[in-house]
Amino acid sequence: MQLHLEGSEELNLPRERVFQLLTDSSFLAKSLPDAQDAKVIDESNIEAKLKIGMAFLTTHMAVKLKIADRVPPGHARLYVEGSGSGSNMKITSDFDLEGENATKLKWAADAEITGVMAGMGSSVLKGFAEKKVKEVFAGIKNAIMKAGPDAGHI
């Protein structure tokens, strides 16, 4: 099953600071919702175990995240691959940042989901994915705002 999601967030921080945080593997590892274990491998790679609950199904997925295609201070790409409980997912997300003193974060994600989760049906899965993506970006937005404008605080 293929899904495409997109959206935007307004952040009251300079674009350079938002870019720094969004491309920092330690920051992202701490910002992942539903992560039961997140381990920074290096400056671009994270491994995590996520607990995912959808409808009547709760599963754990082992995921690998890779931050790539960094074009400071306005663009980066995040690759996510995960598997668990008979399901697999691959997600490619692009982040584009606009503005100077306040930043508009535009994002788009393309996901391919196979296995048990894909069998849930497109409307259930899309609704779940939209809800989960909003939670992820709300968590990242909150973490970015808590980190604030100080580059020494992540």
Side-chain angles (χ1 to χ4, degrees), residues 1 4 62 64 69 79 93 98 109 122 124 127 132 137 144 149:
M1 167 170 287
H4 176 80
K64 293 181 180 183
D69 302 338
Y79 295 103
S93 298
E98 299 174 351
S122 62
V124 171
K132 197 49 80 176
F137 280 99
I144 286 172

Side-chain angles (χ1 to χ4, degrees), residues 35-56:
Q36 295 184 319
D37 183 29
K39 182 169 61 170
V40 175
I41 306 303
D42 58 34
E43 68 181 22
S44 297
N45 295 283
I46 304 166
E47 291 182 356
K49 289 189 177 150
L50 303 179
K51 182 178 180 182
I52 300 172
M54 179 175 66
F56 57 86

